[in-house]
């Protein structure tokens, strides 16, 4: 899971809000932020701590955003 986080951050340090989300101890954490701000990376940071070795589902609002999320995460070299 941390490999995915590293790939999403592209060598950058996590932003403060990403760290806060990653450290959330809640089962559900609602995040509201604009496109391209790092919400998915923050979700992967949370998952690395709380869902490692478990099935994890990410829900996107449209087919287009689902496609881009897949491309960003799984089609670029780690």
């Amino acid at each position: 899971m941390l490999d995915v986080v590293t790939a999403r951050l592209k060598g950058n340090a996590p932003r403060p809000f990403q760290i806060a989300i990653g450290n959330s101890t809640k089962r559900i954490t609602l995040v509201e932020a604009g496109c391209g701000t790092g919400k998915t990376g923050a979700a992967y940071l949370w998952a690395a701590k709380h869902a490692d070795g478990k099935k994890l589902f990410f829900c996107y609002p449209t087919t287009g955003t689902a496609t881009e999320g897949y491309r960003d995460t799984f089609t670029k070299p780690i």
Side-chain angles (χ1 to χ4, degrees):
M1 188 70 64
L2 288 176
D3 289 344
V4 175
V5 173
T6 302
R8 293 216 53 100
L9 291 174
K10 300 175 183 167
N12 297 309
R15 296 176 179 153
F17 90 91
Q18 291 172 313
I19 294 168
I21 293 165
N23 290 332
S24 172
T25 59
K26 303 295 181 186
R27 220 174 133 240
I28 297 172
T29 301
L30 179 64
V31 179
E32 183 178 352
C35 293
T37 57
K39 296 179 301 291
T40 304
Y44 279 112
L45 283 171
W46 180 92
K49 283 188 173 181
H50 304 290
D52 196 31
K54 297 178 183 175
K55 286 186 180 182
L56 187 65
F57 297 89
F58 281 87
C59 300
Y60 291 96
T62 67
T63 303
T65 54
T67 300
E68 290 307 311
Y70 177 84
R71 285 183 182 155
D72 287 349
T73 303
F74 298 107
T75 62
K76 296 189 176 137
I78 293 178

